[in-house]
Amino acid sequence: LCCECGVPISPNPANICVACLRSKVDISQGIPKQVCVSFCKQCQRYFQPPGTWIQCALESRELLALCLKKIKAPLSKVRLVDAGFVWTEPHSKRLKVKLTIQKEVMNGAILQQVFVVDYVVQPQMCGDCHRVEAKDFWKAVVQVRQKTLHKKTFYYLEQLILKYGMHQNTLRIKEIHDGLDFYYSSKQHAQKMVEFLQCTVPCRHKASQRLISQDIHSNTYNYKSTFSVEIVPICKDNVVCLSPRLAQSLGNMNQICVCIRVTSAIHLIDPNTLQVADIDGSTFWSNPFNSLCHPKQLEEFIVMECSIVRDLKRNAGAGMISKKHTLGEVWVQKTSEMNTDKQYFCRTHLGHLLNPGDLVLGFDLANCNLNDEYVNKMNSDRVPDVVLIKKSYDRTKRQRRRNWKLKELARDRENMDTDDERQYQDFLEDLEDDEAIRKNVNIYRDSAIPVESDTDDEGAPRISLAEMLEDLHISQDATGEEGES
C-alpha cells in the first residue's frame, strides 16, 4: 500500500504511488519555463551565444539544438529523454518545445515528467545587417579606375557585373569621375570581386590595409582593406602606337593599330594588313603604350572612291588575319573641306562596309600634333595620313528604332557629366556593331517600341529579336507561390 494515500501499488524503493510522488517532488524545478531567443528579421538568422548568428528553418534540428543550449545548465542536473516542437502559428513569435526528463528521487526511485518550455522570439538586428543599414560602415573597398576620357569599358564592365550577380554583396556602389568604388562588409567579398575583374578586363591591382583598432588581450586586429584596380587606359576605337619590340613579337605588325574591342584582352587590328593580335594585361603593363587620339578628335570623312585589295603580300612570320574584315583602299575627303579639292588616301579594314558617298569617322594623323615617343621615332612614310575607325550612321534614327534596353547598377553618382549620355549612346551603338561583345551582355526587349526589321534603310546594324531576353518581374501571390508578372 502507498504510505501516503493507501492505494495498492507495485513495490518501489520509495513505497509511494506516482501521484503522491509528483505532488511531493517536482523534478523540473529550476528549469525555466519561458526563455527569450533573438532573431534578426533582415537576414532571417537566430542568435547563438556568445557571438554567432545561424540560419535555422522552423522546427528544424538546428533550431531545436539552439533552443536546448539556452537551458543547458539546468538540464545537466536531470536526464533528457526526449525533446520535440509543439506546433505554433509561424507568425506568433513563440516556439514551444516539449521535454521529457527523468531524475532519481527518494531512495532510488526514478521519476519521469513531461513539460513544455515557451521560447519568446525577440527581434534584434545582427551586426552584419547593422553595417548594411548604416551604408557607410565598410571593411573593404575595391576602387576601379581607368585613366581615359571615355567610359566604354566601364559600361561593358557594368553589364558583366549585372549578368553574373557580382553586385549582390556590396554595401554601396559609388561613381566618381574616373571610376567606381565598391564597398563590402568583408575582405573575402572584395577579394572575390578583384578576381572577377582580373578575369573580365585587362588590369592590375594593389592591396593595402589600415589598422582601425586592436585588442592586446585577445590579440585581435580590426583592419580596413583597400584594393586599387587599374584598367588598361585603352578603349574601343582608339588608335595606338606599339613599341617596335612589341609589334615584332605580335607577328611583325605595323606599329600603328586600331583597338577593335576590349574584353579580357585588348584586341588590335592592323588597318594596312588586317593582321589581328590580342594583348593581355600582363603584356600591356610590361610594354605600355598610349592612345594617340581621344574620341572627341574623330572627324567625319566622305568616301570618294573605294576598291578592295584582293591579293595581299604578307611578310614572313606574319600573325593571324581577320576573317570578319575586308582590306580596302579608299580616297576620302573631310566634310568640313568640301569646298577644297584636298583628298586623303589610306588603307582601311572597313572595305566590306564602305561605298562611294558613305560617311565614315576617322583620325586625321597628317594634321594633328602627335606627342608620342614611338611615333616620333617612326619613319614618316610608315605613318598613315588618315586612320578610319567606323562607318557613320544617323544617330537619331538609330535611337528611335532601338527596341531593346540594358539594366543599370544602382549607384551613388557624384559630379555627373553631360558627356555621359553621349558616351552611353556610343556604347549602345558598339553593341549593335560588334557581336563578340554582345554575347557577354544581357539585352532585354523594350516592349514600348514596336519590332521592325533587323536592318534599317541605311543598313545600320541592329540587334535581332532572337538575341533579346524578356524582362520578367516575378512576384508572389497570397499563397506564397510564384504568380504572374
Side-chain angles (χ1 to χ4, degrees):
L1 299 178
C2 171
C3 65
E4 291 285 331
C5 62
V7 174
I9 58 169
S10 56
N12 63 45
N15 290 328
I16 302 177
C17 68
V18 175
C20 295
L21 197 57
R22 283 219 174 109
S23 64
K24 292 174 74 73
V25 181
D26 180 17
I27 62 171
S28 68
Q29 192 174 7
I31 299 174
K33 302 300 185 293
Q34 194 172 47
V35 187
C36 291
V37 177
S38 297
F39 176 72
C40 179
K41 287 182 182 178
Q42 268 82 354
C43 59
Q44 307 282 308
R45 291 189 299 175
Y46 291 89
F47 179 59
Q48 182 175 349
T52 55
W53 291 81
I54 57 172
Q55 196 97 27
C56 301
L58 285 173
E59 300 197 7
S60 63
R61 292 175 61 184
E62 294 82 7
L63 187 56
L64 185 61
L66 186 141
C67 291
L68 292 177
K69 280 178 185 174
K70 296 287 278 184
I71 52 173
K72 186 178 179 182
L75 276 180
S76 60
K77 296 173 184 173
V78 297
R79 182 174 175 233
L80 181 63
V81 178
D82 188 28
F85 283 104
V86 178
W87 187 86
T88 55
E89 177 67 37
H91 303 291
S92 65
K93 302 295 180 190
R94 294 288 186 277
L95 301 171
K96 291 180 183 283
V97 179
K98 186 166 130 184
L99 300 176
T100 306
I101 58 171
Q102 289 179 350
K103 189 177 181 182
E104 190 177 309
V105 295
M106 298 177 73
N107 305 325
I110 294 175
L111 187 63
Q112 182 167 306
Q113 188 173 339
V114 179
F115 64 101
V116 174
V117 179
D118 236 350
Y119 290 86
V120 181
V121 180
Q122 290 186 332
Q124 180 187 338
M125 193 181 279
C126 67
D128 293 339
C129 292
H130 256 300
R131 295 185 190 109
V132 174
E133 288 298 315
K135 290 192 184 290
D136 287 329
F137 191 95
W138 49 272
K139 285 285 185 72
V141 60
V142 179
Q143 298 173 334
V144 187
R145 299 288 183 269
Q146 187 183 27
K147 294 172 182 172
T148 56
L149 293 170
H150 207 290
K151 294 183 177 179
K152 282 182 183 178
T153 311
F154 277 109
Y155 291 132
Y156 172 67
L157 191 60
E158 177 185 22
Q159 296 305 317
L160 288 179
I161 290 170
L162 283 166
K163 182 176 182 177
Y164 296 107
M166 296 302 296
H167 61 296
Q168 290 173 350
N169 295 319
T170 54
L171 299 178
R172 180 186 176 204
I173 302 173
K174 185 179 176 185
E175 181 180 341
I176 57 172
H177 68 283
D178 60 346
L180 292 169
D181 289 349
F182 297 89
Y183 293 90
Y184 293 92
S185 59
S186 73
K187 187 178 178 182
Q188 286 76 17
H189 290 149
Q191 286 172 326
K192 189 177 176 183
M193 183 64 171
V194 172
E195 289 168 8
F196 173 77
L197 291 172
Q198 286 180 307
C199 296
T200 50
V201 286
C203 60
R204 61 179 175 182
H205 78 281
K206 290 179 185 175
S208 62
Q209 55 186 18
R210 181 162 57 96
L211 182 66
I212 305 301
S213 61
Q214 64 172 332
D215 188 348
I216 58 173
H217 301 293
S218 61
N219 205 30
T220 56
Y221 296 85
N222 183 17
Y223 288 104
K224 275 192 174 181
S225 303
T226 302
F227 296 90
S228 177
V229 180
E230 186 182 354
I231 302 174
V232 293
I234 305 296
C235 280
K236 185 181 186 301
D237 297 340
N238 281 166
V239 178
V240 298
C241 183
L242 309 178
S243 65
R245 181 182 168 191
L246 180 60
Q248 188 178 7
S249 68
L250 295 173
N252 289 328
M253 286 181 78
N254 285 322
Q255 285 180 249
I256 292 186
C257 300
V258 178
C259 175
I260 48 176
R261 77 179 69 90
V262 178
T263 54
S264 54
I266 304 169
H267 302 269
L268 300 176
I269 188 167
D270 181 356
N272 280 314
T273 61
L274 295 188
Q275 193 171 325
V276 289
D278 296 345
I279 299 175
D280 57 8
S282 57
T283 308
F284 175 85
W285 296 117
S286 55
N287 297 281
F289 51 86
N290 297 317
S291 172
L292 298 182
C293 317
H294 54 79
K296 288 181 180 176
Q297 290 175 304
L298 276 173
E299 293 190 63
E300 195 173 55
F301 295 85
I302 187 165
V303 179
M304 310 306 286
E305 284 183 44
C306 181
S307 59
I308 305 297
V309 180
R310 299 293 178 190
D311 47 345
L312 176 69
K313 292 181 181 178
R314 300 182 64 194
N315 297 329
M320 272 180 59
I321 296 290
S322 172
K323 304 289 185 201
K324 294 183 179 179
H325 299 86
T326 306
L327 189 63
E329 291 183 340
V330 292
W331 284 92
V332 293
Q333 187 173 9
K334 284 187 189 178
T335 52
S336 59
E337 297 176 350
M338 291 299 286
N339 54 351
T340 66
D341 57 353
K342 188 172 184 182
Q343 294 186 4
Y344 301 91
F345 174 79
C346 65
R347 276 190 170 183
T348 178
H349 59 291
L350 304 174
H352 57 300
L353 295 175
L354 300 183
N355 295 305
D358 285 345
L359 294 177
V360 63
L361 297 174
F363 290 116
D364 180 9
L365 299 184
N367 299 318
C368 71
N369 185 14
L370 296 175
N371 188 16
D372 186 88
E373 57 172 325
Y374 299 129
V375 177
N376 294 339
K377 292 175 184 175
M378 281 178 68
N379 188 345
S380 58
D381 298 339
R382 305 275 292 173
V383 181
D385 291 341
V386 172
V387 178
L388 300 181
I389 300 298
K390 59 182 177 181
K391 190 175 176 180
S392 178
Y393 301 99
D394 186 356
R395 169 164 283 185
T396 55
K397 194 179 286 186
R398 287 184 83 168
Q399 279 182 249
R400 195 169 61 247
R401 291 174 177 242
R402 190 170 290 140
N403 59 344
W404 53 274
K405 60 185 177 180
L406 300 175
K407 290 189 175 179
E408 289 188 25
L409 284 174
R411 57 187 183 268
D412 302 336
R413 286 183 166 93
E414 289 185 6
N415 303 325
M416 275 295 287
D417 192 359
T418 52
D419 199 36
D420 286 356
E421 181 59 32
R422 188 185 66 81
Q423 294 186 10
Y424 188 65
Q425 292 300 326
D426 284 348
F427 172 69
L428 297 182
E429 288 175 10
D430 289 345
L431 283 181
E432 291 175 335
D433 295 342
D434 196 344
E435 190 181 346
I437 297 179
R438 211 158 60 219
K439 286 177 182 175
N440 302 328
V441 174
N442 283 349
I443 295 168
Y444 296 92
R445 183 179 163 190
D446 193 352
S447 55
I449 298 172
V451 178
E452 297 179 18
S453 60
D454 287 350
T455 56
D456 59 19
D457 301 335
E458 286 186 321
R462 297 182 63 197
I463 296 177
S464 65
L465 200 62
E467 295 178 81
M468 299 180 199
L469 301 171
E470 289 288 346
D471 192 7
L472 295 178
H473 300 283
I474 296 173
S475 60
Q476 289 193 337
D477 58 13
T479 59
E481 297 175 354
E482 288 186 358
E484 293 179 354
S485 62

